[in-house]
Amino acid sequence: MREAIERCGLNLSGLTVLTEAATGSYIVTPVLAAMAGASRVLAVARTNRYGSAEETAAATEALAAAAGQGGRIEYIPEVNRELVHRADIVTNSGNVRPITDEMVGWMKPEAVIPLMYESWEFRASDVDVDACRRRGIAFAGTNECHPAIQVFSYLGLLAAKLLFDAGVGIYQCRILLLCDNPFLPYIEAPLKECGALICSAASASEDIGTQAFDAVLIAMTPRAGAVISADEMCRIAVHSPGAVLLQYFGDVDRDAAAAIGLAVWPEDAPAPGHMGILQSAIGPEATIRLQVGGLKAGEVLYRRSYKSDPAAAEYIQPLLS
């Protein structure tokens, strides 16, 4: 964690950070903020299917103590006007979002919202960006490919984990990779190095050859509704009987898939617009890099260093939509 902070030169001194207290590898976010010198760290802890608010806060505090930051994090059950108004950086983390029109109205004008992912991955349900623009609240995505962050370097490992969990052995397996976004080379190359026989396409309606596939790995940019149509799934079912659909990124109509006999993995559908496998599935390192990167994006936005320092500007991505 300290190495990740040092790589990015993360310095939150004098700033109040509002983020979440979470479970798994996402436990690190408020601890990282404290380690980076934030004057105040507010962490929303909520009871959910991963654990109770009390258990989450206790686990987070144990990690904070181990990092020399015991007693530095304030755990809160929900956001409110007073605390949001005190925050300089508000992350769009799970227990904080949705950042609604009302919540944006509570923020002070100089406060910022770093998206803890790349700008093209933006989900409108996370942040009311129209309200941000009206209020002059700065927001931006995180450059996950920055040399000090390099989260995309873990995408191939995540894909391999998803395939193994589905019972697909990878080596010499024929895999159709459906990808229409910057993930493509980071997934394709590592799987090929593992011996997979990859056919990549931007959609299932493209020419995918005649040989049947063992698996179809879907890594499509989320949009309203499913990223693969019922007709495309029918085409896959005819082309590759028995192939399993792997939902890596992008929503899938699982009822339609079941109706035509296509199995979908993972068994439990992710939330709309979310990945089908969490970074924590392959350990904490990728999550640590991403959370430090997101906090660095917040620092750059708040201090407006992107205006005068090209190196600082490399940490953020503008939201174009």
Side-chain angles (χ1 to χ4, degrees):
M1 292 168 68
R2 294 190 188 282
E3 289 178 359
I5 290 171
E6 291 171 1
R7 276 196 305 268
C8 289
L10 180 62
N11 179 5
L12 300 177
S13 59
L15 303 183
T16 294
V17 176
L18 172 59
T19 188
E20 70 170 346
T23 55
S25 61
Y26 291 94
I27 194 174
V28 301
T29 314
V31 181
L32 290 166
M35 292 173 68
S39 61
R40 190 177 185 188
V41 181
L42 304 168
V44 182
R46 291 179 175 167
T47 296
N48 53 35
R49 62 193 177 100
Y50 300 109
S52 71
E54 295 76 16
E55 291 168 339
T56 300
T60 305
E61 190 57 28
L63 178 61
Q69 303 297 320
R72 294 261 290 109
I73 300 169
E74 301 173 48
Y75 303 95
I76 58 177
E78 60 185 13
V79 297
N80 60 52
R81 180 187 296 271
E82 178 186 357
L83 294 178
V84 171
H85 186 70
R86 292 179 180 276
D88 300 304
I89 296 173
V90 179
T91 69
N92 68 317
S93 305
N95 288 339
V96 179
R97 62 179 184 250
I99 301 176
T100 61
D101 187 348
E102 180 183 35
M103 187 171 167
V104 171
W106 296 342
M107 297 173 68
K108 54 189 177 183
E110 63 270 27
V112 301
I113 302 172
L115 303 176
M116 310 298 273
Y117 45 61
E118 295 221 327
S119 58
W120 64 269
E121 299 177 74
F122 175 69
R123 298 182 295 262
S125 59
D126 279 11
V127 182
D128 188 332
V129 294
D130 290 333
C132 292
R133 291 183 175 116
R134 288 196 305 270
R135 291 267 302 166
I137 302 296
F139 58 90
T142 299
N143 178 11
E144 297 183 32
C145 295
H146 189 284
I149 303 173
Q150 294 185 326
V151 174
F152 275 27
S153 298
Y154 292 83
L155 292 175
L157 298 175
L158 272 177
K161 179 68 164 62
L162 188 66
L163 286 159
F164 282 138
D165 287 348
V168 180
I170 300 181
Y171 182 71
Q172 294 298 289
C173 287
R174 299 188 183 279
I175 299 170
L176 173 60
L177 172 58
L178 299 178
C179 189
D180 62 351
N181 57 60
F183 282 0
L184 178 59
Y186 296 91
I187 297 174
E188 183 182 60
L191 292 181
K192 285 183 175 180
E193 289 176 3
C194 291
L197 306 175
I198 301 290
C199 172
S200 298
S203 78
S205 60
E206 294 184 5
D207 181 10
I208 55 175
T210 58
Q211 289 190 309
F213 298 106
D214 302 299
V216 179
L217 183 62
I218 301 170
M220 304 282 285
T221 306
R223 53 179 180 257
V227 297
I228 180 170
S229 69
D231 286 345
E232 288 173 324
M233 287 194 289
C234 284
R235 184 186 183 208
I236 289 170
V238 172
H239 180 280
S240 302
V244 59
L245 296 184
L246 295 113
Q247 187 178 353
Y248 186 90
F249 198 35
D251 299 332
V252 173
D253 186 337
R254 288 170 175 248
D255 290 337
I260 58 177
L262 281 176
V264 183
W265 187 267
E267 293 178 338
D268 296 327
H274 289 250
M275 293 186 69
I277 182 169
L278 297 176
Q279 293 169 335
S280 55
I282 55 172
E285 179 65 22
T287 305
I288 291 170
R289 285 174 175 265
L290 177 58
Q291 301 309 97
V292 169
L295 291 171
K296 181 65 178 182
E299 177 202 340
V300 169
L301 283 172
Y302 185 83
R303 304 195 194 282
R304 276 31 179 201
S305 54
Y306 61 89
K307 294 184 176 181
S308 58
D309 183 357
E314 290 296 320
Y315 282 96
I316 62 174
Q317 293 179 335
L319 192 65
L320 301 179
S321 61

